[in-house]
Amino acid sequence: MQRSASGDGWVLTHPRCARDRAEDLEEVRLMIEAGEGDVAVDELRWLVGGCSEMIEAHFLLGKLAVELDGDPSLARGHFGFGHQMGAKAFRRARCPGPLSAMHPANRSFYDCGRGLAWKLRELGKTPMAIEVVEALIAMDPADPLNLSAWLDELRTDGKTVVGIDDLLGR
């Protein structure tokens, strides 16, 4: 962890192996844009094989596991691993926060957390999804990703809390 250049927050410091593979990750993004998802998966697997702490690679593997294979377990695993790595770094640094969700160095961590919460809810593990979203909001209370709205939806399990008939006394 290190202070952001603006001094108003913190950013994750990615390991050297992840920084050294930034160009490879850019090539993967181009493969995905070109519709070469299977090739991108192979490349991402190679990348995490050489650097298991590449949070963005785990996010992309989770995303592709959903889009290409419909594999919720694999997606949850990759999203969860990426989220756990960032959360562990935040705790280990005893960082007072905030960990800006909009900073490019932090964004993959937040994307992994959102992916994990979404998969947990899909798997019927809503209380665990709520914990993940609450932790993300606590790390960046400004909530630029508007996670608090999603938290309300998770807490009510998508049900209408107050209907128009209730409001109008009908």
Side-chain angles (χ1 to χ4, degrees), residues 46-61:
W46 177 80
L47 287 171
V48 297
C51 182
S52 64
E53 297 178 357
M54 276 187 94
I55 295 175
E56 187 169 356
H58 283 287
F59 169 70
L60 291 172
L61 279 166

Side-chain angles (χ1 to χ4, degrees), residues 139-159:
M139 289 181 209
D140 187 353
D143 194 19
L145 300 175
N146 198 25
L147 297 172
S148 58
W150 191 21
L151 188 58
D152 291 341
E153 182 181 318
L154 287 168
R155 285 183 176 143
T156 61
D157 203 25
K159 296 180 179 87

Side-chain angles (χ1 to χ4, degrees), residues 32 37-38 41 44-45 57-80 111-112 114-120 122-123:
I32 294 169
D38 291 334
V41 167
L44 288 164
R45 286 181 183 149
H58 283 287
F59 169 70
L60 291 172
L61 279 166
K63 183 176 185 276
L64 290 171
V66 171
E67 293 175 353
L68 298 178
D69 302 325
D71 188 337
S73 296
L74 184 59
R76 177 184 172 195
H78 283 294
F79 292 146
D111 289 342
C112 279
R114 293 186 316 162
L116 175 60
W118 173 69
K119 284 314 310 170
L120 288 169
E122 291 286 310
L123 296 169

Side-chain angles (χ1 to χ4, degrees), residues 12 82-92 99 109 135 139:
L12 292 169
H83 174 72
Q84 286 177 344
M85 282 189 295
K88 182 178 177 182
F90 187 78
R91 285 190 308 271
R92 189 175 43 230
L99 185 68
F109 162 68
M139 289 181 209

